[in-house]
Amino acid sequence: MQSGISASKELVSQFNDLLGSSSTFGLLVNIANEQLQPIQTLTSSSPGSSFASNVDSLLTPYIKEKEALYIILRRYDSSPALVAVTYVPDTAPVRQKMLFAATRLTLVRELGSEHFRETIFATTAKELTSAGFEKHDAHTALDAPLTEEEKSLGEVKRAEQEAGSGTSKREIHLGSQMAMPMGDDAVMSLKELAMGEGVGVVSLKVNPTTETIDLLPAPSSTPGSLSSLVSSISTTEPRFTFYRYTHTHNGSEQSPVLFFYTNPSSNGGRVAIKQRMLYPLMKRAVLEVASKEGLNPDKKFEVEEPSEITEESVLAELHPKVVESRGFARPKRPGGSLHNILHDLHKHHGTFKNDRALDRAGYYRHHWTCETTIKQQQSPSSNPTFYSTKDQKYLVKSVPRHSEHSFFREDLLTPYVEYMATHPRSLLVRICDFLGASGYSIGRILRLAPSHHIVMENIMYGRSEAKKRGDVDWEDWDLKPTSYFYPERDIADGALTSEATKSQLADEFHDKIRLSREQADEFFASLEEDTQLLADHNAVDYSLFLVRMHTPQAPGQDNNPDPAAASSSEAVSEVVPTEGPSVPPGPPSWRTGIASADGKYIYRASILDFFWAKHKLQPRVMTALINLWNLLISKRGPMSITTTPEEYRQRFLRMCRSYVEVVGDSRE
């Protein structure tokens, strides 16, 4: 928890009563004895009374000028029907203000975030009147302060919360949050195509206005060739197209079903951006619905422009040429040229082709090519499959273990994309692309060459320029809890393992991250939410990558810089780039650089390496081996890779808290 405070049994009980009774208007909550406690239930005397009248008559008497309060109100007729209000007046005691602010996320999460449509932070009593709520609604409805990208992200978030209704539509789901209805006419067309009936083609689109998956009008007859099919596919909007391709190969007629996902980049604007985000999320769901109707495509194609679909490329996929064996060839050594490693990689998500292409998490990335801008990245471990782009903005990192890349691809990818789209200030590292080998090679069969790579932001972006300016080199630490059992360190006092191996264990930070109370609360809140996502999907052994840079000192300052001057935007821009990789709009973040409260440093931080999942085969085997070791040989306890996700999360959070020192905090 952000503040170590949890919901009491009484609060949970009264909250359940609120959910079950339509006459109960609200619930007031306070913090007492280190717990969230209910203090008053608000019951409407008139069942038909409006929200505005209930606010003025029932809530207003409990709003005090110097007392913070949590307020849960029934505001909407449909689910989620509740709004959570954190009321922290400016005149409240400082300790109370900080405590309520730090615990507001805990209140919603422990009672169930699915019950709350909105959370509001209020500082004056006027905001908690009927006129105040009307003003809040008007402000929320304003479009002017938002960029087009922010609008699109908001629309996607709303799409996750709203489900289709009615008997003429079937709701399809992707993950636990995304849902869209598909019309019965579309479902019936998929079934007919599976049975060999109809015109042989089904084309679907995501309607951004109604947020449904619609069936497009079918042609009068089956397209006789791929070129005829391509001419019917939109060149300005994405499409899902199923097509029964009848052709002759080696004297026999064949009719495989092909699936084409086209996502043109030529059309811009708000609608196009939203569509480019929704279509990748809904592709798997559409294929699942088709499979339930008996339609399983023989080949799937993912391209940008419909013109990329050609007879030659499709036939090459359907009927690959047999390559005559030329004898045994020595496999290339691990970590060869990335151009060779990526030569036969295909893209699972996103695109490399656009100079400013929108990635799946909703942020822009720059164009790069394997031939000219990717080079080997030197690291302490000398990992030969760790590369960076020439401009240092992105890293290409191998994910060699099957348990890791299959976990990310099958279990975490969709929740990660949904989460990052709605949490732009998350500390989780931004993954821009996921690459996987399209074929087999001796190196990959023998596990001598990695088959999967991720492209992610480089949190060390700007370091090279700092060196050129003569600045002191940036410091970095890869931090994870060190209290676990590490065989290479703890067996025979490490005498059986080389120093090079032991040097790859987690670092220790022998200092403090000095933050203001506001910075610390935001930092802890982000860590809470990010690690909860990882724990929910069984991830362990992730780390906090911390970067520290010295701020420039004015003459005569010595070791006592002025905090205000050192943390100014001008001073920060002298140390870190003014435009970091894929930086969202808004104030400085842990991705761009946070100035320390004492003005001496600038910090960056990111959560890395969250690919080790407890339910995969290799982690399960490791867990069994360590349990056997503890039972038969020495009770050393779990390793960081064999503990439970929630236990690791709690140790990780405690470690992060131990490294933070709040400067200027008035709490006792």
Side-chain angles (χ1 to χ4, degrees):
M1 314 277 170
Q2 290 98 320
S3 55
I5 293 174
S6 60
S8 65
K9 293 181 179 179
E10 293 78 11
L11 174 58
V12 174
S13 176
Q14 292 194 27
F15 180 76
N16 290 333
D17 293 339
L18 168 65
L19 294 176
S21 174
S22 58
S23 63
T24 304
F25 172 66
L27 181 63
L28 306 183
V29 182
N30 204 342
I31 298 177
N33 299 323
E34 300 298 318
Q35 283 191 316
L36 293 165
Q37 300 280 1
I39 58 175
Q40 182 65 43
T41 298
L42 305 179
T43 303
S44 176
S45 57
S46 175
S49 56
S50 65
F51 175 83
S53 62
N54 283 334
V55 166
D56 291 336
S57 61
L58 300 177
L59 177 61
T60 301
Y62 294 95
I63 304 303
K64 308 299 181 183
E65 192 173 284
K66 297 184 178 181
E67 292 183 16
L69 186 67
Y70 292 122
I71 306 163
I72 301 172
L73 300 176
R74 184 187 302 278
R75 190 173 187 198
Y76 304 98
D77 295 328
S78 60
S79 181
L82 304 180
V83 57
V85 181
T86 301
Y87 171 60
V88 182
D90 293 334
T91 53
V94 174
R95 176 177 172 80
Q96 189 182 65
K97 289 166 66 175
M98 295 298 101
L99 192 60
F100 270 73
T103 314
R104 58 192 295 254
L105 295 177
T106 301
L107 173 72
V108 173
R109 184 166 57 247
E110 292 222 339
L111 296 180
S113 57
E114 68 274 11
H115 301 302
F116 297 90
R117 184 175 302 193
E118 188 179 21
T119 58
I120 299 174
F121 192 95
T123 58
T124 64
K126 291 182 179 179
E127 295 175 81
L128 302 180
T129 63
S130 58
F133 276 97
E134 290 177 3
K135 186 176 180 180
H136 167 76
D137 292 342
H139 177 75
T140 303
L142 289 177
D143 291 335
L146 299 178
T147 64
E148 295 298 327
E149 289 79 11
E150 287 173 317
K151 293 178 185 178
S152 298
L153 291 177
E155 291 168 354
V156 171
K157 185 176 181 180
R158 189 182 73 251
E160 295 172 355
Q161 295 175 338
E162 298 177 354
S165 60
T167 58
S168 63
K169 297 179 179 179
R170 179 173 301 180
E171 188 175 277
I172 61 177
H173 294 267
L174 180 62
S176 60
Q177 295 180 331
M178 290 294 293
M180 275 197 181
M182 177 186 287
D184 278 354
D185 55 347
V187 176
M188 182 59 66
S189 295
L190 294 174
K191 182 180 295 186
E192 290 177 352
L193 183 60
M195 298 172 63
E197 302 174 355
V199 296
V201 60
V202 176
S203 186
L204 306 173
K205 66 173 290 186
V206 176
N207 191 320
T209 304
T210 61
E211 294 179 346
T212 58
I213 295 181
D214 296 344
L215 174 69
L216 294 171
S220 56
S221 61
T222 302
S225 64
L226 282 172
S227 58
S228 300
L229 174 71
V230 169
S231 63
S232 66
I233 300 177
S234 173
T235 59
T236 58
E237 295 182 359
R239 291 288 186 267
F240 298 130
T241 305
F242 295 85
Y243 175 57
R244 186 173 293 281
Y245 178 41
T246 302
H247 66 288
T248 301
H249 178 69
N250 289 342
S252 64
E253 186 176 89
Q254 301 182 17
S255 299
V257 174
L258 310 179
F259 171 77
F260 297 101
Y261 163 42
T262 53
N263 198 346
S265 60
S266 56
N267 188 31
R270 178 181 64 84
V271 174
I273 291 174
K274 177 182 177 181
Q275 289 175 335
R276 289 180 67 85
M277 294 174 65
L278 285 178
Y279 273 82
L281 293 174
M282 298 310 300
K283 182 186 70 172
R284 190 180 72 184
V286 169
L287 289 170
E288 287 178 355
V289 172
S291 179
K292 291 179 181 178
E293 303 303 326
L295 184 63
N296 295 294
D298 297 278
K299 283 291 181 180
K300 305 181 186 71
F301 299 85
E302 182 174 334
V303 298
E304 284 195 344
E305 307 298 335
S307 59
E308 297 179 45
I309 304 172
T310 64
E311 197 96 18
E312 181 182 4
S313 63
V314 171
L315 289 175
E317 286 290 328
L318 290 174
H319 312 291
K321 295 181 180 180
V322 178
V323 180
E324 183 180 353
S325 175
R326 298 183 180 180
F328 178 78
R330 177 182 295 178
K332 295 178 181 179
R333 66 174 179 85
S337 165
L338 187 66
H339 174 61
N340 295 327
I341 292 175
L342 300 185
H343 179 70
D344 59 345
L345 293 182
H346 70 276
K347 296 178 283 294
H348 285 268
H349 300 283
T351 174
F352 283 104
K353 292 192 174 182
N354 297 321
D355 187 53
R356 294 286 285 177
L358 190 70
D359 67 30
R360 284 172 55 83
Y363 302 104
Y364 285 106
R365 65 177 186 270
H366 292 286
H367 169 72
W368 62 82
T369 63
C370 297
E371 291 83 358
T372 59
T373 64
I374 296 202
K375 64 178 183 178
Q376 186 170 337
Q377 172 75 22
Q378 298 298 324
S379 65
S381 61
S382 299
N383 187 343
T385 54
F386 189 52
Y387 297 80
S388 70
T389 53
K390 187 175 181 179
D391 60 8
Q392 300 293 310
K393 287 188 176 183
Y394 302 93
L395 299 177
V396 181
K397 184 180 184 297
S398 64
V399 188
R401 297 187 184 94
H402 179 271
S403 62
E404 293 184 334
H405 60 69
S406 64
F407 164 63
F408 183 65
R409 180 179 64 253
E410 298 167 4
D411 300 307
L412 187 61
L413 179 57
T414 296
Y416 171 83
V417 170
E418 295 176 6
Y419 181 84
M420 299 301 276
T422 54
H423 294 75
R425 297 178 70 81
S426 168
L427 290 170
L428 296 177
V429 67
R430 260 58 179 180
I431 297 175
C432 307
D433 259 301
F434 180 47
L435 310 175
S438 59
Y440 293 98
S441 69
I442 294 178
R444 285 191 291 276
I445 293 174
L446 299 179
R447 303 294 176 93
L448 298 176
S451 61
H452 289 74
H453 296 75
I454 59 171
V455 181
M456 61 184 181
E457 286 183 354
N458 182 10
I459 195 174
M460 298 294 287
Y461 171 60
R463 183 178 193 172
S464 298
E465 294 301 319
K467 282 187 176 181
K468 292 178 182 178
R469 294 194 304 265
D471 295 351
V472 176
D473 196 14
W474 297 5
E475 301 170 282
D476 61 89
W477 296 265
D478 192 8
L479 304 170
K480 62 175 63 175
T482 58
S483 54
Y484 287 108
F485 168 46
Y486 289 97
E488 55 268 63
R489 179 196 65 190
D490 299 329
I491 296 179
D493 295 326
L496 304 179
T497 310
S498 67
E499 290 300 322
T501 300
K502 287 186 286 187
S503 67
Q504 297 180 29
L505 296 176
D507 299 327
E508 291 189 51
F509 182 54
H510 301 290
D511 201 348
K512 294 291 185 180
I513 306 172
R514 295 173 179 86
L515 304 174
S516 66
R517 170 50 60 185
E518 182 180 1
Q519 290 173 327
D521 286 342
E522 181 184 0
F523 183 53
F524 295 147
S526 294
L527 288 170
E528 284 278 338
E529 293 186 337
D530 294 344
T531 56
Q532 187 65 58
L533 174 75
L534 300 180
D536 289 343
H537 292 85
N538 284 339
V540 297
D541 203 40
Y542 41 87
S543 61
L544 181 75
F545 192 79
L546 176 67
V547 180
R548 185 173 73 176
M549 300 152 268
H550 291 265
T551 55
Q553 295 183 4
Q557 282 187 341
D558 297 326
N559 294 322
N560 297 299
D562 175 41
S567 61
S568 66
S569 58
E570 293 80 7
V572 172
S573 64
E574 293 182 29
V575 181
V576 297
T578 56
E579 181 186 348
S582 301
V583 176
S589 68
W590 287 91
R591 299 167 60 198
T592 58
I594 294 291
S596 64
D598 59 8
K600 294 183 178 180
Y601 302 106
I602 295 171
Y603 301 109
R604 283 181 181 173
S606 186
I607 298 176
L608 302 175
D609 296 333
F610 37 80
F611 302 118
W612 190 267
K614 285 300 299 298
H615 60 281
K616 290 295 182 177
L617 179 60
Q618 186 174 359
R620 288 164 60 189
V621 171
M622 287 296 301
T623 300
L625 291 175
I626 293 302
N627 290 341
L628 192 62
W629 172 279
N630 286 325
L631 178 64
L632 301 178
I633 301 177
S634 175
K635 293 185 178 181
R636 296 279 189 167
M639 296 172 61
S640 60
I641 60 175
T642 65
T643 185
T644 64
E646 184 58 32
E647 200 275 343
Y648 184 82
R649 174 175 179 260
Q650 293 303 328
R651 284 207 204 187
F652 181 82
L653 292 174
R654 286 197 296 270
M655 176 202 73
C656 294
R657 287 183 173 277
S658 70
Y659 286 137
V660 172
E661 175 184 318
V662 179
V663 177
D665 188 12
S666 58
R667 297 185 190 179
E668 299 179 356

